[in-house]
Every structure is written in C-alpha cells, then in structure tokens.
Amino acid sequence: MAPKSLALELYANADELVDRQFMNQMREQDITPVPTDPSLPRFTLVVGPSPFTMPRGWEFFLTSPYEGASYISTVLHNAGYPVRIVDVRYDLDPLKSAYDQIVGQTDVLGLCTFEDNFPFCRELMEKVREAEPDVPIIVGGSLCTSVPHIFMEHTAADIVVISEGELTILELMESYASGNWSRDLPNIRGICYRTPEGEAKRTRPRGQMMDLDALPRMRLDLWPQYHSPMGLQPQIISSYSRGCKMDCSFCYRTTPQVRAKSPEKMDRDMAWLKSQYGIEFSFFVDLTFSSHRKQTLEICDVIKDHDIRWTCLTRCADMDEPRVNAMRDSGCDIILYGVESLGTEVLREARKGSSENLTVRAMRTTFDAGVRFGSLLIVGLPNESEESLNHMVEFAETYNHVTRVKYLSAMPGTTIYKQALASGTIRSEIDHLNWLSVEQALHEDEFLNVSGLPEKVCRDAYKRIYDAYQPGPVMDFRHFPEHMQYFHPQPADGLERSTSYAGTGWRREFSSAAGPLAPGSERFTLDKCSEPEVARAGSSLMECGAKKMTSPSLAGVNEA
C-alpha cells in the first residue's frame, strides 16, 4: 500500500448516496444543460495572479484555461446558475480589477487558490467583505486544501472546499439557493465553514470521485478570453486522470488517489474540445501520465484519432518502448520527466522511487523513439552536495534537454513544509504563504536553503541549468497579454537538437515570460518574512523581482 503522508481526509472516497446523486446530475446536465435561470444566485469565480514564469515555448500555459476553474464553472452553468469567470492573472492591478468586477455584480463569490496567490486572496476577501458583508465567499483549490485552518483563522472566507470541488459546489449552491445553509452546512461533507457566531467548523471528508466519467465536457466559452478580439488560444490544459501513486516529499497533491476516465469518455471530451474550440495542442497535466502501460496505450489510441500535438508529465520509471512509441504515434511532442536530481541520497530522501540509471534509460528510450525528453530539475533538495549538484549541471549541459529548473519550494502540506516549520526555517505559515507569492522561478529568486549549500553554489548551478533550456512546443504563441514581462535574453541557442526544432535565435529576445508581479509584492521578500539567518542563506547575492520594485529606477519597468 502506498504511504500516506498527506492529510488522511484526502484518501476518502466520494461514494455515498448524495455523491452518486450529484454525479448522475452532472452526467444528465452535460447531455442537456439546464437553461440559465436568472432567479438563481449569480456565481462569480475569480482566477487570481501568479508570479510564475514559463520558459520560451511554454507561454501558453500562463494564459490557457485550466481544468479546476473550467469544471467548477461548467457544472454550475449546466445546472442553470448564472456563472462568470473573472480572470485577472495579467492585470497591472489584479486586486482592483477583480474587486471592480465583483461588487454589485454577484450573489456568491468563489476564489481559486494556488500556492502563490495567498496575499491576493486574503486582501480581495477583506475588501469584498467590507463592501458586501452578505455575499458568501467560497474558496477552493490546492492551497486552501493544504492549509484550511489558515483560511478559516486568517481570512474572510466563509467556506473552504477540501480537495475536489465539483460535487461539493453543486451541493453548496443547491442548499444556498433554497435558503437552507444554516441547516445544511454541518452535513455537507468536505468543507470547513463558519457558523453564524463566527466559529470555524469542519465536516466529514467527502474524498474523491471514483468515476471521472461523470465529469462534464468543459465549457471553455465561460472564460473571458473566449470573447476577446483574439478569441480562445488553441492550446488547452487537460487530463485523463487524477491522483498520483507516489509520495514525493516536496509535492502536494489535492487528489492523491489515482483514477482515470474511460477511453470512451476521453474520446468524447477530445472531440468536444476540437470541434467547439479548435484545440490544436494539449498539455496533459496528469501527474504520472504513463504509470499504467495498458491504460497508456488505450489513451494514446484515443488521442491519435484527434490529430493534435501534445505533451505530458510522467516518471522515468514508467517509460518503455511500447509506451513511448504509442505516445509518439499519437502526436506527443515532448515528454516531461520529474528527474529532480541525480544524487542517490537526494532521491531517497525525496521518496522519488527513481535513480540516475532509470533517468538515463528513460532518456535514451525517449530519444530513440524520436520524442523529445524534458527534464524537470530542482536545485536545493535535502542531501544535495556540491558534487551531486555539479553532476546534474553537467548532465543538463551535455544533453540540452532541460524544460524547467527551480529552487526548492516548501509547498504547504508537504513533508518538506512540515520539516521547515518544525526546524524554524519557516517563521510562520502566514509569512511563508506571503513569501511564496513572489517566487517567479527565475535565477534571481530568493530561496529557502534547506540543503545547506553556499548560496553562490546554488545560484551558479541554477544559471547553468537555466541556460541549458530547450525550446518548448508552442514557439508560435500569439496570445501574449498586454502587460507581460520578459526575462533573460539568451543569444546561445544550445545544441543542434534545439535549433533544428525552433530555429536559430529562438530565445534571443527572452528566455522566460510572466505576468507582472502584483503591486505590493515588495512587502513579502524573505528579509520581511523569515528570520535573518534564513534570509541571509538564500537572498544575499541577488535582488529578486519583488526587491527591485522598491527601486525607483526599476519599479514598473519590464526586464528584457
């Protein structure tokens, strides 16, 4: 049996009578949606900013509709609720923009939480609560699932949805529309809620849907960009499964149990996305796309019929010739592998279930099949030594196969996070959540130095790996928002493997791009959110983007 390091309620199954009722409702309303009923409560779902940069060729990931918000808005739309998505990921002042689109225009507010948008969520809830004290505020997503106590104790949230939200939001809104919240909330599973007296309560866990075929086809036209002059971009973030069989120390999973859609369901979903929205490329964000060989082959057979290019995430241990050949034949452009490190002790401590030999074998198998191999690497994991880190750098430079490198983050809910709290590396949970909102995944980022390596060693390794990037799969992306920042022009093209794919000068103008840091981000640098010795160990040699905001000569200027 797989280890269970996460909160035990995440391992429950949503298989009670009420769960089956709402799953059946989702199926029926996917086929025949209920006409929008203006007498029902208006629901607004806010997607807030993220500082996270994406390397050249992956910019579509920053602006694409994604599954969490798409499914929540779709199930409510199909049930007849007036639903609106407010997407302020790339507004210059996302807090003001979101507030202006909410007040006086909604009856229920929903917020999507991510590990790096806590200050935005907390401040928006405070402003909305002050202006409209009777509007209920519901939060969902990975961050509030990992630290629900923070949201109940330190924000104006009325309800925190734990783990998957499709069944829970339907039950919540049905109860609210009928005026029965005071009676029903104690019995709606999978939430934390606030009593009329202000006391925080937690209900029994709901757990995960075991039948993903109950999910509807995503209504991407609910996203505002669908109605913009450029229209919806032809790239989508989707999946055929949820969960992960592994238990890595640095990774948080809101849905740890593995379940998958049937090939028939996958076929219907892809046909819908292609015919309705002209999707040409899919990033399958399943945590381990190829974990089960038979299932992988079946899904690839489905994808092949829809003539799209695609990419996915998987493990080095879960690749062989039949799988990679099937993936290639169905249009796979590049496979992203969670390599993280090559150090034996590093991988053991991280519970990766991998090794350098497995990584090299997967890389050769992938290359031999004519598919690109994309390494995802972390600088600064526990037990990393200068020798093992330098070995990883040489590995990256030799094969020019890196897709992403980042400094280790202590993600809420993970083993690394709990260890950092216990050791005092994290001063407080609030401080840490604030600080995560300025982490851009750039060379100059501040970082928590849990490895004990000198800061210069970590930064030099990061820079060399970053310079070993290969191009992403969508080099002709044209949906850049107006307010975008561009980082680190790089005249070096890498190996012929990169230029044969993207041409020469493919990152001459920039190596990474992102939306602007939110106003006020300078409040959350490591010197303000940690103990002095922690800040010195990971923020002494460079100024991160948030620190640069305090310089009059640099404030508001895009780095190019």
Side-chain angles (χ1 to χ4, degrees), residues 492-509:
D493 286 330
L495 301 183
E496 190 273 336
R497 181 181 299 118
S498 289
T499 55
S500 64
Y501 183 86
T504 58
W506 61 273
R507 55 179 174 173
R508 188 173 295 138
E509 296 182 3

Side-chain angles (χ1 to χ4, degrees), residues 11 208-210 212 240-246 255-260 286-288 291-292 295:
Y11 299 92
Q208 300 173 228
M209 287 189 291
M210 293 297 105
L212 296 187
Y240 81 88
S241 67
R242 291 180 178 179
C244 181
K245 65 182 181 181
M246 301 306 294
T255 57
Q257 299 188 89
V258 181
R259 293 131 313 133
D286 311 70
L287 293 176
T288 50
S291 284
H292 305 284
Q295 184 172 274

Side-chain angles (χ1 to χ4, degrees), residues 74-91:
T74 297
V75 298
L76 291 177
H77 167 85
N78 289 353
Y81 294 94
V83 175
R84 188 167 50 109
I85 297 176
V86 170
D87 184 358
V88 295
R89 285 179 283 184
Y90 306 102
D91 288 30

Side-chain angles (χ1 to χ4, degrees), residues 46 66 111-115 117 121 139-145 151:
V46 176
Y66 66 94
L111 269 72
C112 300
T113 71
F114 320 119
E115 282 74 8
N117 77 349
C121 290
V139 296
S142 55
L143 180 59
C144 68
T145 293
F151 280 81

Side-chain angles (χ1 to χ4, degrees), residues 34-42 79-82:
V34 175
T36 300
D37 183 350
S39 70
L40 289 174
R42 296 168 296 172
Y81 294 94

Side-chain angles (χ1 to χ4, degrees), residues 200-382:
K201 296 280 191 178
R202 188 163 188 160
T203 65
R204 291 190 300 119
R206 183 182 297 274
Q208 300 173 228
M209 287 189 291
M210 293 297 105
D211 183 7
L212 296 187
D213 283 9
L215 291 168
R217 295 164 296 177
M218 291 187 288
R219 291 292 303 262
L220 303 185
D221 48 297
L222 295 171
W223 286 83
Q225 51 263 55
Y226 177 85
H227 305 282
S228 68
M230 289 195 71
L232 196 70
Q233 63 193 62
Q235 298 88 24
I236 185 63
I237 300 169
S238 63
S239 69
Y240 81 88
S241 67
R242 291 180 178 179
C244 181
K245 65 182 181 181
M246 301 306 294
D247 187 50
C248 299
S249 66
F250 53 85
C251 181
Y252 186 75
R253 289 102 55 218
T254 58
T255 57
Q257 299 188 89
V258 181
R259 293 131 313 133
K261 298 175 183 175
S262 68
E264 294 77 17
K265 166 63 173 170
M266 185 71 170
D267 185 54
R268 291 193 299 272
D269 284 356
M270 296 199 67
W272 168 262
L273 293 171
K274 183 93 177 185
S275 64
Q276 292 294 118
Y277 307 110
I279 297 304
E280 299 172 358
F281 186 93
S282 179
F283 187 162
F284 292 110
V285 289
D286 311 70
L287 293 176
T288 50
F289 184 94
S290 63
S291 284
H292 305 284
R293 180 187 294 174
K294 180 176 181 293
Q295 184 172 274
T296 304
L297 301 181
E298 290 174 347
I299 291 299
C300 286
D301 278 343
V302 170
I303 297 173
K304 184 191 297 185
D305 292 336
H306 296 280
D307 187 28
I308 67 164
R309 293 168 55 240
W310 58 280
T311 185
C312 68
L313 304 159
T314 197
R315 301 176 61 245
C316 292
D318 294 331
M319 189 53 63
D320 55 24
E321 189 173 334
R323 277 179 274 201
V324 74
N325 287 344
M327 295 165 78
R328 175 201 63 211
D329 293 345
S330 59
C332 186
D333 181 293
I334 181 171
I335 302 171
L336 308 187
Y337 290 90
V339 175
E340 325 306 356
S341 174
L342 298 179
T344 301
E345 293 305 314
V346 181
L347 294 171
R348 180 179 294 116
E349 176 73 15
R351 303 194 295 269
K352 276 294 297 180
S354 188
S355 67
E356 181 175 354
N357 286 341
L358 284 173
T359 296
V360 171
R361 186 183 72 184
M363 180 182 68
R364 289 175 176 165
T365 300
T366 305
F367 282 156
D368 288 348
V371 180
R372 293 196 295 150
F373 179 97
S375 285
L376 306 175
L377 303 174
I378 297 175
V379 170
L381 281 163

